[in-house]
């Protein structure tokens, strides 16, 4: 578990808030009852794409966009060649059609997942998409003039849909990423990013896309130049205080970190400082307080709007009375003015995002920014060296691409991927990042949770607040694994962290069962207890508490949670074995580990249990007494052939080469440990 960077924190494949498809007219009732059969709306809607009427084409695209949100309808559209039929409409003469066609493909990519994205790229969707993006950027100046005139569908609206589609495709398809690299689309994304001063929505879409395409993309690093880095640095140094810009700066910081090996030596220190300052300022924000304030601001604004609406109703009623007194000719003249507002609303094809939810958008941007900041720090504090405490999630992926040859010459003084460099280490400390991360590991504010719980549209933030906590715990785990104890505050600070983690896990009547929380908190506890044991620092968690955690973990389906809990027992037991009068507790720990080693269905977990047994009973009078009392030698002798047979039978089909290598080592160590116990018995 030490290598948390292997957790690629992908965004959800579909988020209703992410929709910005125009055209919200409801389709007839029978379109809600979708299926893959004859009654599917796919055929009828796709036929309408060929209509000579732009309004009909727009209507069809908008409804395709809505219908494909129900994933069971997607095969019906794909079978009817939807991608090839929608593709040309990206370059339609009507801006409204361009926007809705791109939105339809965007939703298809988001709701269809990786396989659909791969299929879309195979059907050459990148060709019209690339052309559309270039046309959009070329038309930005014209767009500004259209916006001033109040024209509805603008070039930037189309560009926003196109960038989001590109983001989805590049996130899911290596072929799309290759096209991105070769077609020089980076310049287009940067132009969208540069428009953040007056179109934050487009800039955020571009920043998300850039953050994705720069991750582990050695080919793209060859395209890096001072203009690219200059654009990112200008975003980092922007001063707008709203949460959308906070998120924008955070995403820019993530892109800079992804591009670290291409930074010129002379700018490394300055850029690193700007990056850390961005993350630090983001984590300083108190999400609980701000969410509470934003919700109250929304309520106050709604009340004001309601009062204004009542006044308009009274004025309209008075107007209607006056109209009734007019003759027919006068009434005909007044009618359009009276009904103009309603007519405008009826024809409004705006984004599907809820209207009047500026405060909710701000709160969402804040939590996304904090989660992203923590994920960036997780990757900063991630050693790329394989270690024995991460073998349960070992991957065969080649991470050498992180620092490609030819791009790091002269730049090796900073940001080495092999360890936490002195410069990065110093920047983390200078900006008080460990302290701010620790604060974010607390449970979300109860006041903020109550605010969200009692409002249907704000409920989505509850999971986001918990997600920030989980990322902070993973971040704490990585910092404990890569930073020295003194940098983290020394023995007293580590004891305080132990007390804090103990409170998180053991303060409630029952140990929390949320899997993501358990994975993050057990990883942090494991790293912390390793340091505390090494430094011989007294810690507050009792063996009984840790046993209860282990018991809870055995019922968790996540392998890494069970592995962490077993490692924690091993660390605790090996420490107790050096103390007097601990044989009874060691017996309890030994029995628990034996139970898992013999009964868990996963060989990785069984191996970790055996490893922990080796640590606990390796030495000492108390360990020898406890081993004898639980008949450890006979139990391990009985387990040895079973463990060996399971490796031979299940190994190659279920486990990676790295995991099998570790399991083979444990098999050898089991034989040696049995030999050691036999010599102890003979004494």
């Amino acid at each position: 578990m030490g290598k948390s960077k292997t957790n690629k924190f992908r965004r959800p494949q579909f988020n209703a808030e992410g929709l910005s498809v125009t055209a919200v007219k409801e389709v007839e009732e029978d379109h809600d009852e979708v299926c893959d059969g004859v009654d599917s709306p796919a055929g009828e809607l796709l036929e309408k794409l060929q209509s000579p009427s732009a309004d009909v084409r727009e209507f069809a695209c908008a409804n395709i966009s809505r219908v494909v949100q129900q994933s069971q309808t997607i095969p019906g559209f794909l079978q009817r060649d939807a991608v090839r039929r929608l593709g040309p409409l990206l370059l339609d003469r009507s801006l409204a059609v361009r926007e809705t066609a791109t939105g339809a493909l965007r939703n298809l990519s988001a709701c269809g997942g990786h396989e659909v994205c791969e299929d879309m790229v195979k059907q050459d969707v990148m060709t019209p998409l690339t052309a559309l993006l270039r046309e959009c950027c070329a038309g930005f100046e014209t767009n500004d003039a259209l916006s001033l005139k109040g024209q509805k569908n603008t070039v930037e609206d189309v560009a926003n849909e196109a960038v989001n589609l590109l983001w989805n495709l590049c996130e899911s398809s290596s072929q799309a990423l290759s096209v991105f690299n070769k077609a020089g689309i980076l310049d287009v994304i940067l132009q969208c990013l540069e428009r953040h001063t007056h179109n934050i929505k487009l800039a955020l879409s571009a920043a998300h896309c850039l953050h994705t395409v720069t991750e582990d993309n050695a080919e793209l690093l060859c395209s890096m130049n001072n203009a690219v880095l200059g654009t990112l640095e200008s975003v980092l140094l922007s001063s707008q205080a709203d949460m959308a810009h906070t998120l924008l700066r955070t995403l820019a910081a993530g892109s800079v970190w992804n591009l670290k090996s291409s930074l010129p030596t002379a700018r490394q220190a300055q850029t690193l400082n700007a990056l850390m300052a961005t993350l630090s300022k983001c984590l300083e924000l108190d999400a609980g307080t701000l969410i509470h304030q934003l919700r109250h601001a929304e309520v106050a604004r709604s009340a004001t709007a309601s009062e204004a609406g009542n006044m308009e109703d009274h004025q309209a009623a008075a107007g209607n009375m006056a109209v009734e007194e007019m003759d027919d000719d006068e009434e005909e003249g007044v009618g359009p003015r009276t009904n103009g507002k309603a007519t405008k609303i009826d024809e409004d094809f705006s984004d599907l995002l809820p209207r009047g939810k500026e405060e909710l958008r701000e709160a969402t941007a804040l939590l996304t920014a904090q989660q992203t900041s923590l994920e960036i720090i997780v990757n900063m504090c991630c050693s790329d060296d394989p270690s024995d405490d991460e073998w349960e999630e070992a991957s065969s992926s080649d991470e050498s691409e992180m620092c490609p040859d030819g791009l790091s010459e002269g730049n090796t003084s900073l940001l080495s991927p092999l360890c936490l460099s002195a410069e990065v280490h110093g920047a983390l400390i200078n900006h008080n990042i460990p302290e701010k991360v620790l604060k974010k590991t607390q449970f979300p504010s109860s006041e903020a949770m109550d605010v969200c719980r009692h409002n249907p549209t704000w409920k989505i933030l509850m999971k986001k607040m918990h997600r920030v906590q989980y990322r902070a715990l993973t971040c704490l785990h990585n910092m404990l694994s890569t930073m020295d104890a003194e940098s983290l505050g020394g023995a007293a600070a580590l004891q305080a962290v132990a007390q804090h983690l103990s409170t998180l896990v053991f303060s409630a009547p029952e140990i929390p069962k949320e899997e993501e929380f358990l994975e993050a908190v057990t990883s942090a506890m494991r790293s912390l207890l390793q340091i505390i044991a090494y430094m011989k620092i007294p810690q507050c968690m009792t063996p009984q508490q840790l046993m209860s955690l282990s018991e809870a973990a055995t019922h968790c389906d996540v392998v890494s949670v069970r592995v962490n809990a077993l490692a924690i027992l091993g660390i605790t037991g090996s420490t107790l074995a050096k103390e007097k009068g601990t044989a009874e507790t060691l017996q309890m720990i030994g029995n628990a580990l034996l139970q898992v080693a013999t009964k868990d269905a996963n060989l990785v977990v069984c191996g970790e249990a055996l490893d922990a047994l080796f640590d606990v009973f390796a030495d000492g009078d108390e360990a020898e007494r406890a081993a004898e009392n639980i008949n450890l030698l006979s139990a391990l002798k009985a387990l040895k052939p079973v463990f060996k047979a399971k490796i031979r039978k299940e190994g190659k089909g279920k486990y990676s080469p790295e995991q099998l290598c570790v399991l083979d080592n444990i098999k050898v160590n089991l034989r040696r440990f049995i030999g050691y116990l036999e010599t102890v018995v003979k004494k």
Side-chain angles (χ1 to χ4, degrees):
M1 284 306 297
K3 192 175 184 183
S4 296
K5 189 174 185 296
T6 55
N7 294 327
K8 297 295 184 182
F9 298 115
R10 301 292 186 185
R11 70 188 183 105
Q13 287 190 343
F14 180 76
N15 182 344
E17 285 195 344
L19 287 173
S20 55
V21 181
T22 56
V24 295
K25 287 186 176 179
E26 288 297 319
V27 187
E28 290 80 0
E29 198 64 31
D30 59 336
H31 281 179
D32 291 329
E33 300 296 326
V34 291
C35 61
D36 292 334
V38 178
D39 294 329
S40 169
E44 180 185 350
L45 291 174
L46 290 171
E47 284 300 319
K48 289 180 179 178
L49 297 180
Q50 309 303 318
S51 171
S53 167
D55 287 342
V56 173
R57 296 196 301 277
E58 178 187 0
F59 177 84
C61 290
N63 282 292
I64 291 171
S65 179
R66 187 187 67 83
V67 172
V68 297
Q69 292 175 38
Q70 302 174 63
S71 57
Q72 70 269 31
T73 68
I74 291 177
F77 281 96
L78 295 179
Q79 289 162 12
R80 292 170 173 83
D81 219 13
V83 176
R84 291 190 188 277
R85 295 167 102 174
L86 283 165
L89 297 185
L90 298 187
L91 301 172
D92 194 276
R93 60 184 178 275
S94 164
L95 277 179
V97 174
R98 288 187 178 198
E99 184 179 358
T100 49
T102 311
L105 288 169
R106 172 187 175 183
N107 282 5
L108 189 63
S109 67
C111 301
H114 296 289
E115 289 185 6
V116 170
C117 288
E118 290 283 5
D119 189 55
M120 291 173 71
V121 175
K122 286 177 183 175
Q123 295 189 50
D124 200 29
V125 75
M126 291 294 288
T127 297
L129 178 58
T130 301
L132 174 62
L133 284 163
R134 294 196 183 285
E135 284 193 21
C136 285
C137 289
F140 278 160
E141 290 185 8
T142 306
N143 174 84
D144 295 338
L146 292 175
S147 297
L148 290 173
K149 293 178 182 178
Q151 181 162 327
K152 209 168 138 16
N153 297 95
T154 63
V155 174
E156 287 189 349
D157 294 330
V158 180
N160 185 59
E161 290 296 335
V163 171
N164 275 280
L165 172 57
L166 178 68
W167 174 20
N168 289 347
L169 295 173
C170 289
E171 191 170 50
S172 299
S173 167
S174 58
Q175 189 178 346
L177 192 61
S178 178
V179 173
F180 181 97
N181 295 337
K182 291 180 171 62
I185 307 175
L186 177 62
D187 292 341
V188 172
I189 297 301
L190 290 173
Q191 286 184 61
C192 295
L193 185 60
E194 287 169 349
R195 299 186 73 77
H196 68 89
T197 53
H198 69 279
N199 191 333
I200 186 61
K201 184 177 180 181
L202 174 60
L204 275 175
S205 298
H208 275 295
C209 184
L210 188 62
H211 191 207
T212 294
V213 299
T214 54
E215 185 177 9
D216 297 342
N217 188 351
E219 186 179 357
L220 186 64
L221 290 177
C222 300
S223 305
M224 289 303 108
N225 53 49
N226 288 337
V228 176
L229 298 173
T231 298
L232 289 170
E233 286 182 354
S234 70
V235 173
L236 287 180
L237 298 174
S238 62
S239 58
Q240 293 90 336
D242 59 281
M243 295 303 105
H245 273 88
T246 298
L247 175 57
L248 184 75
R249 286 189 288 271
T250 302
L251 292 167
S255 296
V256 170
W257 180 256
N258 290 341
L259 300 171
K260 56 188 177 293
S261 61
S262 64
L263 288 173
T265 304
R267 295 170 63 177
Q268 286 182 350
Q270 178 185 356
T271 303
L272 178 63
N273 186 63
L275 187 158
M276 287 294 186
T278 296
L279 303 181
S280 177
K281 288 175 183 176
C282 178
L283 294 177
E284 279 176 3
L285 297 171
D286 185 341
T289 300
L290 286 170
I291 286 171
H292 198 264
Q293 292 173 352
L294 286 166
R295 173 58 185 150
H296 278 289
E298 181 185 66
V299 171
R301 182 174 55 78
S302 297
T304 302
S306 179
E307 290 175 7
N310 289 335
M311 289 181 65
E312 287 184 7
D313 290 341
H314 287 305
Q315 291 170 354
N320 289 336
M321 291 174 64
V323 166
E324 290 172 3
E325 296 173 358
M326 295 179 183
D327 60 35
D328 291 343
D329 291 338
E330 290 175 321
E331 189 171 339
E332 287 177 8
V334 172
R337 292 198 298 272
T338 305
N339 298 326
K341 186 174 181 181
T343 302
K344 185 176 180 181
I345 292 173
D346 290 342
E347 294 177 353
D348 184 15
F349 293 90
S350 60
D351 290 350
L352 292 183
L353 283 165
R355 298 188 184 194
K357 294 295 179 184
E358 291 81 3
E359 294 84 3
L360 179 57
R361 294 172 194 268
E362 283 281 280
T364 304
L366 166 61
L367 294 174
T368 304
Q370 293 194 334
Q371 177 182 329
T372 304
S373 294
L374 291 163
E375 290 169 1
I376 294 167
I377 299 168
V378 164
N379 292 343
M380 284 181 176
C381 299
C382 173
S383 169
D384 282 354
D385 284 332
S387 62
D388 60 359
D389 68 347
E390 68 193 9
W391 66 280
E392 73 276 4
E393 291 189 352
S395 169
S396 60
S397 61
D398 180 12
E399 295 193 348
S400 63
E401 293 179 359
M402 291 284 293
C403 190
D405 293 337
L407 288 172
S408 56
E409 289 185 16
N411 296 334
T412 55
S413 63
L414 181 63
L415 311 176
S416 166
L418 299 179
C419 62
L420 190 62
S421 72
E423 290 83 358
V424 175
H425 181 280
L428 288 168
I429 299 302
N430 291 340
H431 288 278
N432 296 320
I433 297 293
E435 179 184 337
K436 292 169 184 176
V437 167
L438 184 61
K439 193 169 183 179
K440 295 300 177 189
T441 63
Q442 297 173 352
F443 286 115
S445 157
S446 57
E447 292 82 1
M449 292 291 282
D450 285 340
V451 164
C452 298
R453 189 178 291 111
H454 295 113
N455 187 279
T457 57
W458 286 65
K459 272 189 176 180
I460 58 168
L461 298 186
M462 295 174 68
K463 185 174 287 187
K464 293 179 181 293
M465 284 189 275
H466 281 298
R467 188 64 49 78
V468 169
Q469 182 198 24
Y470 305 155
R471 293 294 186 266
L473 285 165
T474 302
C475 198
L476 175 63
H477 155 62
N478 274 26
M479 289 193 299
L480 288 166
S481 299
T482 55
M483 299 174 73
D484 62 90
E486 289 307 312
S487 298
L488 296 169
L494 292 173
Q495 285 178 312
V497 173
Q499 181 63 58
H500 171 63
L501 294 179
S502 176
T503 301
L504 289 180
V505 177
F506 303 117
S507 59
E510 291 186 1
I511 291 174
K513 294 182 173 62
E514 169 59 42
E515 290 180 347
E516 199 169 356
F517 171 79
L518 282 175
E519 182 173 23
V521 79
T522 55
S523 295
M525 289 175 68
R526 178 178 180 176
S527 295
L528 177 64
L529 291 174
Q530 284 174 333
I531 297 174
I532 284 178
Y534 177 77
M535 296 181 66
K536 297 182 173 60
I537 301 170
Q539 60 98 358
C540 59
M541 287 176 266
T542 67
Q544 288 73 24
Q545 285 179 321
L546 297 174
M547 283 294 299
S548 68
L549 175 62
S550 177
E551 175 65 24
T554 59
H555 300 295
C556 181
D557 291 334
V558 180
V559 168
S560 58
V561 173
R562 305 206 298 276
V563 167
N564 284 337
L566 294 169
I568 288 170
L569 283 186
I571 295 164
T572 304
S574 62
T575 301
L576 290 172
K578 300 177 178 65
E579 302 174 6
K580 296 292 184 183
T582 58
E584 187 174 339
T585 304
L586 293 176
Q587 288 175 216
M588 180 175 63
I589 292 174
N591 279 324
L593 294 173
L594 271 175
Q595 180 85 354
V596 175
T598 55
K599 293 189 175 180
D600 199 290
N602 190 289
L603 276 174
V604 167
V605 179
C606 295
E608 186 67 40
L610 287 171
D611 233 7
L613 281 167
F614 304 157
D615 291 339
V616 173
F617 297 97
D619 192 25
D621 294 338
E622 298 294 327
E624 290 178 11
R625 191 176 302 112
E628 183 180 354
N629 291 341
I630 64 173
N631 297 315
L632 182 60
L633 176 58
S634 58
L636 292 180
K637 280 185 174 180
L639 177 60
K640 177 184 170 185
V642 177
F643 185 66
K644 184 177 179 180
K646 285 182 73 175
I647 293 176
R648 185 173 60 252
K649 182 179 179 181
E650 302 175 15
K652 290 184 179 179
K654 293 176 62 176
Y655 303 96
S656 70
E658 290 81 1
Q659 290 171 327
L660 287 175
C661 181
V662 176
L663 287 169
D664 282 337
N665 286 337
I666 291 174
K667 182 176 65 177
V668 171
N669 289 339
L670 175 59
R671 176 174 53 80
R672 293 173 178 171
F673 190 69
I674 289 172
Y676 160 73
L677 289 178
E678 287 174 336
T679 60
V680 170
V681 170
K682 292 176 183 177
K683 284 199 303 184

